[in-house]
Amino acid sequence: MFLKQLIKLSLRAQITWLAASLIIMTTLLLTINYWLTTASYVEQQLQQQMYFAQNVLKQNLKQQEQVLITSANVLTADFGFKQAVATQDTKTLQSALLNHGQRIKADLMVLIDLNGEFIASNNNSYSLAQLRKHLNALPLKAVNAQMLAINDSIYQIILAPVKAPRTIAYAIIGFRIDQNTLSQLRELLSLDITFLANKHIIQSSLTKDVLANENVFGANLTGISLLLSSASFFHQPIEITTANNISAVLSASLDPLHRDINRLIIATVLAILFILFIAISLSRILSKRITQPLDKLMNITKNISDGNFLVPQLNNRFPKELEKLYGGFSLMSSAIKQREEKITYQAERDLLTGLYNRYKIINDIDALLKLNLQIVLINLNVKGFKALNDTIGITNGDVILKEIALRLGNFHKQSQTPKHCLLSRPNADEFIVAITISDEQQIKGLISQLRNELERPFYLDGIDLSLQIYYGIANSLEHGNDGEKLIRRASMAAANAVKSNNTLQFYQNGDDEAYLYKLNLIEELKLALEQDTGNLFLTYQPKLNLKTKQVDKAEALIRWVDKNNEFVNPEMFIALAEQSGLIVTLTQWVIRQAAQQIHNWNQQGLYFNVSVNLSAQDIQHEQFVHFLLETTTYYCVEPSNIILELTERDIAENEALVIAKLTHLKSLGFEISVDDYGIGQSSLAKLKNLPVDELKIDKCFILKLNESSQDQDIVESTITLGHKLGLRVVAEGVENQPSLDLLTQFNCDYIQGYYLAKPQKAEQLSEWYAHYVKNH
């Protein structure tokens, strides 16, 4: 999280943070390393000090023990003392013990018998009851030195036998370890000492306050804990004697160490602050040296992005690398400027003629309209240019296009031409001229000038070529104040001029609305196919077998109710689907719906073969055969249940490919029908080479069959020749009984039309079929 926030800071702040962080980390690591080394050294020194102190203490006690042994030997060897012991002369014994004790400065002089019973002592304050519990633990044997705790005092004693010549008593001589002794030992050892009996403190050179706060029994501090602990002393226990559970604790004060550590911490913090101050100051200076030119480069980059390619000269000295980068920016700015000019030119111009493209002229027209200028747009369409291009070649075609652009330029240079004249080539054979006007009266004069310039013959390799050019005109006074709308309306006017073969055509109100309505229909149809909300649905028109009088076929016809709940003419939206590339999707939707309905009917015990209308785009689609097989397999429908209907026009488009596809489909079991026969480009002679099963006579010959003898002759001959070619013949558009009778007479195979039944939804067809079967 911290790194993410750091990255968001400025480069100068990041450099400062980096320098400060590295210094702090380095200082801390060095300090920690120093602390660890110091802690190890201090621990080692303390252990060494404790070791020497322990040896000195034991040596001191040993010397005291030797003094006691010598004193005991002198006392027990005295003849008078022995005689007093033998005679049980208590006064003499007490006097001897007192004198001898004063002479050797002993604190304890006691005489006991062989049973450990008290005889005499140098201090009457000691009663037998007080001493017995302490002396009972002493083994009565040869000279024996011991440490005893008596009445909250520690004594170093010696027990010596009194022999005359056999042992008749024991003399006990002891030195009391008092505060004086502890002070002497403290000075000798340079350490405080505490004596314990059975882990209870008896005497200590430490003050009561220290003993209250210190745990002399606690675990010794080691390593870094020596430096970090708040304890005032380092304690080291030593065993004095195990017989009577007398031990001692040596204590070394840690206050000097803590003072040194505190001084080290203060010195470290001051060093860190000083180094940080130096580092931050230097890093700020360095970052400023880096960021200043970078700021300039950023401003240059912003200027370049805004279209200002001027790079100012450097006034300050920068690091060499940044000076090179600055120079690189200058070169880059110049290169970008050149490329942008080239890209802008290519983005706004037609590369062949140099005229504006559609995007550029729309923007320029909008700019003029915002200035409240009025404009006339003239769309020029060269008739049959594609065919001309195929005839004379693309290179020569380009020469003609360049010549047209040159003539438009000459028209623009004419003195009569207004100041604002925009020339564009938005498409291959289409040009646009946009001219500012003050009123409609100028339009005719401008068009006349333009035609005089363009309709002169074109010379190509010594050949005169006369091009027929159609003019579509729209103006902002009557037809809108939007550039794209004016261009679209001028293009529509030119398209109408081509259709009507009228050289000059002004835009007619309503044409654009119809065009936009068709565009909206295409978008709505696309949405209806994607969402399948039920606005698109199929109706089925039954076919009657005139020979069996059975209804065993039906034609699937698509219907559409738009979002305004209005019925859309199928011929219109199917034509729009073909123009917009939606026809394949639409046909696949129809086939899926029809296959599903055939499956449903089969489960109800109804068996109808269903005809589906195809377009040339459907049959030429590379995945069409795969889609058909996949759909019939998914809905468990036999290929023979689906009849594929194509018009003569669809068959004629890319005829070789269509015939190959139809042959393949027929081999898979699908039936093929030629729809609307008689109004297209085919003939019966051509049909003999097509893999078709059925021929549908167009309804224009059937609607008034009973009234037209010519239609009767055409229909009868078509049926006869169709049968000779092995085709099934269907008449569509049967509207009355007389026509039905004639078709029966002509041996027509199937009929369909309103006289039999109108197209209806699947549920209604099932009801109609039940009623038909019941009444026939």
Side-chain angles (χ1 to χ4, degrees), residues 275-292:
I275 295 172
L276 272 178
F277 174 75
I278 298 298
I280 291 173
S281 301
L282 292 177
S283 63
R284 296 287 290 181
I285 295 171
L286 175 62
S287 62
K288 186 176 181 181
R289 290 273 294 166
I290 295 174
T291 56
Q292 271 189 346

Side-chain angles (χ1 to χ4, degrees), residues 295-575:
D295 288 339
K296 285 194 173 185
L297 291 176
M298 287 177 63
N299 291 332
I300 292 171
T301 303
K302 185 177 181 301
N303 291 337
I304 290 174
S305 67
D306 293 338
N308 181 8
F309 298 99
L310 179 63
V311 178
Q313 294 293 325
L314 277 174
N315 296 324
N316 301 325
R317 289 188 60 81
F318 292 130
K320 289 184 178 180
E321 294 81 1
L322 293 176
E323 287 184 358
K324 289 181 180 179
L325 181 61
Y326 197 90
F329 262 74
S330 180
L331 293 175
M332 181 184 71
S333 174
S334 176
I336 290 176
K337 181 180 180 181
Q338 293 177 4
R339 281 198 297 271
E340 186 169 284
E341 290 174 351
K342 183 178 180 180
I343 291 171
T344 301
Y345 183 87
Q346 293 176 344
E348 295 178 346
R349 303 271 180 168
D350 167 49
L351 298 183
L352 178 65
T353 61
L355 302 181
Y356 288 153
N357 58 21
R358 181 182 180 87
Y359 169 81
K360 172 63 176 173
I361 196 171
I362 287 176
N363 286 343
D364 284 3
I365 289 172
D366 286 336
L368 293 175
L369 291 173
K370 286 179 181 178
L371 297 174
N372 295 322
L373 297 174
Q374 302 302 325
I375 297 175
V376 60
L377 256 73
I378 306 171
N379 183 290
L380 313 175
N381 193 301
V382 181
K383 181 181 180 181
F385 184 77
K386 185 178 183 302
L388 177 64
N389 219 16
D390 294 339
T391 302
I392 64 177
I394 295 176
T395 302
N396 289 326
D398 289 345
V399 172
I400 291 177
L401 292 174
K402 289 179 182 179
E403 178 64 23
I404 293 175
L406 181 63
R407 294 188 183 188
L408 290 176
N410 292 334
F411 165 74
H412 176 37
K413 293 174 184 177
Q414 291 175 4
S415 57
Q416 297 93 331
T417 303
K419 180 179 180 182
H420 297 288
C421 179
L422 306 175
L423 306 175
S424 171
R425 181 193 173 215
N427 293 314
D429 57 350
E430 185 180 359
F431 293 84
I432 292 176
V433 180
I435 312 170
T436 53
I437 58 173
S438 56
D439 54 55
E440 293 182 59
Q441 303 301 322
Q442 291 180 270
I443 297 176
K444 289 185 179 179
L446 292 171
I447 293 174
S448 177
Q449 294 177 40
L450 186 60
R451 295 184 69 172
N452 289 336
E453 187 68 37
L454 293 178
E455 293 180 2
R456 291 184 285 107
F458 290 83
Y459 299 97
L460 185 65
D461 294 335
I463 301 175
D464 292 349
L465 290 176
S466 296
L467 301 181
Q468 187 170 358
I469 299 175
Y470 293 91
Y471 302 84
I473 299 101
N475 66 80
S476 60
L477 293 169
E478 298 178 297
H479 307 136
N481 57 355
D482 176 80
E484 187 170 1
K485 182 186 291 184
L486 286 173
I487 287 177
R488 183 174 67 247
R489 291 183 170 182
S491 298
M492 293 176 66
N496 290 333
V498 173
K499 288 180 183 177
S500 61
N501 202 24
N502 186 11
T503 305
L504 189 64
Q505 182 74 43
F506 287 85
Y507 170 77
Q508 301 297 317
N509 289 328
D511 288 349
D512 196 24
E513 287 73 14
Y515 171 76
L516 293 176
Y517 171 71
K518 291 178 180 179
L519 286 182
N520 289 332
L521 273 185
I522 291 171
E523 289 301 317
E524 193 176 337
L525 177 60
K526 183 178 180 181
L527 193 62
L529 286 169
E530 290 175 352
Q531 297 181 349
D532 199 9
T533 56
N535 293 56
L536 280 172
F537 58 91
L538 291 184
T539 61
Y540 299 88
Q541 188 172 30
K543 297 179 183 179
L544 174 64
N545 188 327
L546 293 180
K547 292 183 173 55
T548 63
K549 304 302 181 183
Q550 299 294 317
V551 174
D552 55 10
K553 289 180 174 58
E555 181 177 3
L557 300 168
I558 189 169
R559 298 293 182 259
W560 182 24
V561 176
D562 65 16
K563 62 183 180 182
N564 298 320
N565 207 29
E566 294 180 358
F567 180 78
V568 184
N569 189 319
E571 292 184 359
M572 174 184 287
F573 74 77
I574 289 173

